[in-house]
Amino acid sequence: MIYLNGKFMPIEEACIPVLDRGFIFGDGIYEVIPAYSRKPFRLAKHLDRLQHSLDGIRLQNPFSNAEWKNLLEQVIAKNDGEDQYLYLHITRGVAKRDHAFPVNVPPTIFIMSNPLLPPPAELLVSGASAITAIDNRWIRCDVKAISLLPNVLLRQLAVDVHAIETILIRDGFLTEGAASNIFVVKDKVLLAPPKSHLMLPGITYDVILELAAANKIAHEIREISETEIRKADEILLTSSTKEIMPITLLDNNSVGNGKPGAMFTQLHALYQQYKATHMRGNASGDTEDL
Ligand code: PDD
């Protein structure tokens, strides 16, 4: 069951007009929100980022945070599975094709849910492979825009060689993955690229840095050069749907000793504990400010 413009319906019955600006221009933004034990994870943070994306494309937020929470909970309740991920999508609505914003046109609002499966156990044990590519996206990557053509093309480069992700490099420095954030480990220090308009401020990225700080794991937030990526002891990938994963092969070369490392093992365990806290109902970032 999905939500579309005020109504719940089976996804097969959901239709949008061809003049929707999401279809014509990719003129919209989205969020992906995991729900564990049917409870949205870090909801307040996802709704903050939704607001940031809406501000970035000058679209008014159609709902208050309390209204979003209510709507998302209804979608979760109408779908199977304890763990789900919610996909929330807002476009600038339906109007005659013209680049200029239409006046007095309601946005199109769509929410769907899919089962949220943990990453395959074998990838957590043996690690996954990734490739690198030049980051050729626009320079507002902090906006979670539905116009994802560059990300789609970059991600496909990885799929073509049976890798799981494309790690992006802009002007010699790490930005993020085509659909994930990337951390590097060197000499037991966790390195994270600083948030900027060149990367999506990942919700999982924040959780990892909070866990590092709370557990006295040495970490630095700073620019990471391409050479540092290639000489890393460990590379870690994070996203709402993949949680945290070890990258053990980069452009066909082993990362460190070619096995998931101690930093991955520790952060993965801490992330699972944090999820358990969330399911018990007292994790930070879940519903604060709602
Ligand atoms: N993608 N960077 C990009 C470009 C992303 O698309 C994503 C997530 C992330 C990680 O952000 P978060 O930890 O908040 O999921 C970073 C989602 C999962 C997607 O598009 O499906």
Side-chain angles (χ1 to χ4, degrees):
M1 292 294 282
I2 64 103
Y3 170 90
L4 180 64
N5 296 332
K7 295 197 187 98
F8 294 94
M9 63 191 86
I11 192 157
E12 296 74 22
E13 286 171 22
C15 285
I16 56 153
V18 288
L19 284 179
D20 192 281
R21 289 176 64 97
F23 184 58
I24 297 286
F25 293 120
D27 184 2
I29 54 93
Y30 75 107
E31 264 303 319
V32 174
I33 308 169
Y36 296 105
S37 296
R38 296 186 174 273
K39 286 178 53 185
F41 182 66
R42 289 238 148 185
L43 182 58
K45 305 292 179 191
H46 280 279
L47 293 178
D48 284 350
R49 187 171 68 186
L50 179 75
Q51 185 63 57
H52 176 79
S53 297
L54 287 167
D55 292 344
I57 70 162
R58 299 169 56 189
L59 190 58
Q60 211 185 334
N61 196 334
F63 296 127
S64 68
N65 283 356
E67 287 167 330
W68 279 121
K69 180 168 183 279
N70 179 277
L71 210 49
L72 292 164
E73 285 172 351
Q74 289 192 61
V75 174
I76 294 170
K78 290 178 194 302
N79 283 281
D80 290 337
E82 289 302 291
D83 296 348
Q84 305 177 18
Y85 73 90
L86 298 154
Y87 174 87
L88 185 172
H89 173 124
I90 308 172
T91 79
R92 211 181 302 275
V94 180
K96 182 173 179 298
R97 185 181 181 278
D98 179 355
H99 288 62
F101 295 173
V103 180
N104 289 331
V105 166
T108 299
I109 306 166
F110 169 54
I111 306 170
M112 67 176 164
S113 173
N114 281 292
L116 177 57
L117 304 171
E122 63 270 21
L123 286 186
L124 298 180
V125 173
S126 60
S129 76
I131 60 166
T132 56
I134 300 292
D135 192 342
N136 58 8
R137 301 172 300 163
W138 70 335
I139 52 170
R140 285 308 307 277
C141 299
D142 56 317
V143 172
K144 208 163 168 52
I146 60 168
S147 24
L148 283 173
L149 185 56
N151 303 63
V152 166
L153 292 171
L154 287 163
R155 181 68 188 285
Q156 188 62 31
L157 295 176
V159 174
D160 290 345
V161 295
H162 308 291
I164 67 148
E165 183 59 303
T166 305
I167 294 178
L168 306 177
I169 297 166
R170 195 189 286 258
D171 298 333
F173 291 93
L174 168 67
T175 52
E176 59 180 339
S180 59
N181 288 114
I182 301 292
F183 294 80
V184 161
V185 180
K186 189 67 185 175
D187 298 332
K188 301 193 166 55
V189 181
L190 178 69
L191 304 176
K195 284 184 189 173
S196 77
H197 57 287
L198 299 179
M199 71 172 233
L200 186 78
I203 305 299
T204 325
Y205 165 103
D206 282 343
V207 175
I208 293 297
L209 287 176
E210 283 173 29
L211 291 173
N215 292 279
K216 304 206 165 31
I217 295 172
H219 62 284
E220 286 174 25
I221 302 171
R222 62 162 174 82
E223 299 282 5
I224 300 165
S225 71
E226 178 170 356
T227 314
E228 287 181 295
I229 306 171
R230 300 201 184 282
K231 292 192 173 157
D233 297 332
E234 296 180 45
I235 297 176
L236 309 176
L237 173 158
T238 66
S239 85
S240 291
T241 47
K242 296 205 167 77
E243 302 184 342
I244 177 166
M245 290 186 62
I247 301 296
T248 50
L249 200 64
L250 185 69
D251 293 334
N252 267 330
N253 298 310
S254 290
V255 178
N257 66 7
K259 298 199 181 88
M263 186 70 82
F264 165 72
T265 307
Q266 186 179 5
L267 286 171
H268 182 259
L270 289 169
Y271 195 84
Q272 300 310 314
Q273 275 172 29
Y274 183 82
K275 265 169 55 181
T277 314
H278 157 81
M279 290 184 233
R280 285 196 303 273
N282 47 4
S284 64
D286 276 348
T287 53
E288 61 198 37
D289 310 325
L290 294 185

